[in-house]
């Protein structure tokens, strides 16, 4: 129940078949939410298009519940509208997006079409169907090069963002802000993820292992389980304690719980109805950091994997990666206060479940 609300809560999750999506859908199901997923399966290892992808089938197995799945692209207004006619959504959790920083630099239009234009289409269909509560998957990349650390929500956004992916998230945050300013009925929460890593303790769901990972944690996990030979460390001459990049890694289970905390809050929000007190003051637009609230270096992660896996991780120190910053980590005290949420899982938990997922997938892929 949400605030002793008796009726079943119905939530649409866009991009619910992906890494963050599956863990968030599982969390919602465990809270007895009726979950509907739309996903174009672009970022997911395909089953056949009509069948639910494996990732969602595993979520159903783990929860013992079913998820309504529709293979729909958020850019497809007509199909999206038909789905909104099938259900009475209490809110939408919007995760669907292209998310590769590297790809966004070479394919910016794909990112603006899919992430920005796709979100505008979703918002138009929501408005048309009087669904005005949205939890949006944003990213710490909206902060650009950190001007101070730890980064809090007051930090400037949209300046010195180093890639079209991060800029697409920033543009969407501002579109949502304008929408809330224009219509007091809207309630929006932007969740700014730092570095989501790890996997469900069952080892049954995790980051899609297709291809060679470009992010640190899944790459090191594959070295730890022997699928990759060694890790190239992108620079060890940063002004950090050991010279390697420092990031705020957050366990995917903590992140999923953060989505539930935001959903509970937004369901209690009463967007001011016209004529009500606060009407005209615009809708409610809020942003929260979701991180662990501390930084770990590349070598911290390597050492943790070595102790978790009991195996040495070979590394090569190579030149810095274009666009990387030295350090980025969060101040999450606002989410602690206002969402009553705090990340609790440790770097060891993250490495352990990452390695478990990787092992499981290796066996599964054999
Ligand atoms: C972490 C650290 C690298 C790989 C990205 C996106 C961000 C978010 C999370 C979506 C850095 C170093 C990495 C490797 C290395 N995604 N590294 N060798 O770049 O902080 O964030 O993923 O929201 O938007 O930008 O994460 O895991 O790629 O890098 O040395 O093979 O590990 O230099 O210091 P990043 P990452």
């Amino acid at each position: 129940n949400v605030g002793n609300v008796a009726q079943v809560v119905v939530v649409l999750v866009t991009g619910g078949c992906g890494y963050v999506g599956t863990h968030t859908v599982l969390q919602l199901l465990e809270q007895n939410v009726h979950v509907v997923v739309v996903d174009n399966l672009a970022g997911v290892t395909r089953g056949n298009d009509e069948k639910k992808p494996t990732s969602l089938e595993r979520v159903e197995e783990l929860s013992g519940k079913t998820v309504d799945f529709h293979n729909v692209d958020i850019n497809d207004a007509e199909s999206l509208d038909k789905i909104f006619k099938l259900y009475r959504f209490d809110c939408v959790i919007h995760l669907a997006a292209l998310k590769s920083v590297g790809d966004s630099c070479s394919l910016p239009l794909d990112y603006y079409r899919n992430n920005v234009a796709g979100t505008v289409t979703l918002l138009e269909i929501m408005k048309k169907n009087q669904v005005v509560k949205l939890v949006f998957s944003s990213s710490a990349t909206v902060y650009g090069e950190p001007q101070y650390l730890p980064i809090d929500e007051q930090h400037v956004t949209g300046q010195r963002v180093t890639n079209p992916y991060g800029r697409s998230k920033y543009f969407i945050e501002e579109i949502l802000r304008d929408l809330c300013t224009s219509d007091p009925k809207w309630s929006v929460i932007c969740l700014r993820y730092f570095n989501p890593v790890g996997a469900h303790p069952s080892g049954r769901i995790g980051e899609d292992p297709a291809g060679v990972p470009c992010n640190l944690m899944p790459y090191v996990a594959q070295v730890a389980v022997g699928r990759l030979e060694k890790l190239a460390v992108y620079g060890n001459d940063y002004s950090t304690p050991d010279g390697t990049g420092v990031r705020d890694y957050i366990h995917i289970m903590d992140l999923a719980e953060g989505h539930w905390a935001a959903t509970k809050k937004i369901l209690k929000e009463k967007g001011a109805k016209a004529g009500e007190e606060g009407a005209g003051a615009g809708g409610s637009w809020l942003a929260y950091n979701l991180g662990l609230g501390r930084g770990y270096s590349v070598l911290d992660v390597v050492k943790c994997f070595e102790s978790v896996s009991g195996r040495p991780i070979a590394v090569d120190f190579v030149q810095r990666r274009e666009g990387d910053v030295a350090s980025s980590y969060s101040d999450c005290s606002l989410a602690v206060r206002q969402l009553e949420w705090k990340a609790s899982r440790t770097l060891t938990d993250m490495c352990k479940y990452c390695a478990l997922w990787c092992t499981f997938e290796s066996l599964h892929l054999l």
Side-chain angles (χ1 to χ4, degrees):
N1 281 343
V2 173
N4 299 323
V5 172
Q7 77 270 21
V8 172
V9 170
V10 185
V11 174
L12 172 69
V13 180
T14 73
C17 296
Y19 175 44
V20 175
T22 47
H23 291 82
T24 299
V25 168
L26 183 55
Q27 176 66 21
L28 294 172
L29 292 171
E30 287 169 356
Q31 304 297 329
N32 297 318
V33 170
H34 177 184
V35 180
V36 178
V37 167
V38 294
D39 199 307
N40 68 2
L41 301 182
V44 177
T45 308
R46 283 178 181 279
N48 72 40
D49 277 3
E50 284 326 305
K51 205 166 74 67
K52 279 175 189 149
T54 310
S55 60
L56 219 43
E57 288 178 332
R58 290 186 185 170
V59 168
E60 291 185 318
E61 285 164 26
L62 288 166
S63 62
K65 299 185 177 163
T66 56
V67 179
D68 295 354
F69 167 65
H70 301 273
N71 182 357
V72 164
D73 188 311
I74 56 171
N75 274 291
D76 178 352
E78 191 183 340
S79 303
L80 210 48
D81 191 38
K82 284 184 186 145
I83 292 169
F84 273 77
K85 298 288 187 287
L86 295 174
Y87 306 89
R88 176 196 47 74
F89 292 125
D90 294 291
C91 91
V92 173
I93 298 178
H94 179 32
L95 309 176
L98 295 177
K99 67 168 187 93
S100 162
V101 167
D103 289 353
S104 78
C105 296
S106 49
L107 301 166
L109 291 182
D110 291 7
Y111 276 68
Y112 292 129
R113 161 67 57 199
N114 188 78
N115 295 4
V116 182
T119 300
V120 172
T121 302
L122 171 68
L123 295 172
E124 288 171 332
I125 299 302
M126 287 177 67
K127 180 174 166 51
K128 179 180 173 188
N129 291 279
Q130 292 90 41
V131 179
V132 291
K133 293 176 183 280
L134 179 80
V135 174
F136 170 59
S137 162
S138 189
S139 167
T141 36
V142 302
Y143 293 120
E145 172 101 21
Q147 293 176 18
Y148 57 81
L149 291 169
I151 302 172
D152 62 14
E153 290 82 356
Q154 303 313 310
H155 188 290
V156 66
T157 58
Q159 292 183 18
R160 292 192 294 182
V161 178
T162 57
N163 57 79
Y165 162 76
R167 250 186 300 284
S168 74
K169 292 293 187 180
Y170 167 68
F171 292 154
I172 294 166
E173 283 199 4
E174 293 306 304
I175 289 167
L176 292 169
R177 201 197 293 270
D178 288 340
L179 178 59
C180 289
T181 304
S182 75
D183 182 345
K185 288 193 291 298
W186 280 83
S187 297
V188 167
I189 288 181
C190 301
L191 298 177
R192 293 169 179 166
Y193 306 168
F194 278 72
N195 288 54
V197 295
H200 187 268
S202 67
R204 304 278 288 134
I205 54 175
E207 200 155 4
D208 191 327
V212 175
C214 51
N215 291 134
L216 177 71
M217 196 67 90
Y219 196 104
V220 178
Q222 294 204 20
V223 175
V225 299
R227 273 171 69 181
L228 292 169
E229 186 203 345
K230 64 181 163 184
L231 170 76
V233 177
Y234 298 145
N236 62 336
D237 57 350
Y238 284 105
S239 51
T240 60
D242 62 21
T244 65
V246 170
R247 295 292 183 276
D248 183 331
Y249 299 100
I250 174 173
H251 198 291
I252 191 71
M253 299 295 288
D254 282 323
L255 194 80
E257 290 165 7
H259 284 75
W260 173 237
T263 302
K264 278 191 291 185
K265 178 178 176 63
I266 211 163
L267 290 175
K268 287 180 195 157
E269 291 276 331
K270 284 192 177 48
K273 301 241 178 336
E276 255 183 14
E277 187 228 340
S284 146
W285 184 97
L286 298 163
Y288 296 98
N289 289 337
L290 293 189
L292 187 58
R294 61 157 297 172
Y296 286 106
S297 76
V298 173
L299 293 183
D300 289 333
V301 171
V302 168
K303 289 186 190 99
C304 187
F305 256 106
E306 287 180 328
S307 66
V308 160
S309 66
R311 301 172 63 167
I313 305 277
V315 299
D316 239 354
F317 293 104
V318 299
Q319 64 179 11
R320 296 180 177 189
R321 179 172 64 178
E322 184 69 29
D324 275 358
V325 298
S327 288
S328 169
Y329 53 92
S330 66
D331 171 342
C332 291
S333 53
L334 190 65
V336 174
R337 284 197 310 278
Q338 295 190 2
L339 298 183
E340 295 171 37
W341 167 90
K342 181 172 174 55
S344 60
R345 290 161 179 94
T346 66
L347 183 66
T348 300
D349 297 327
M350 298 175 208
C351 293
K352 192 164 61 176
Y353 293 127
C354 226
L356 176 68
W357 159 251
C358 215
T359 309
F360 183 90
E361 274 308 281
S362 309
L363 296 176
H364 179 73
L365 292 174
L366 288 179

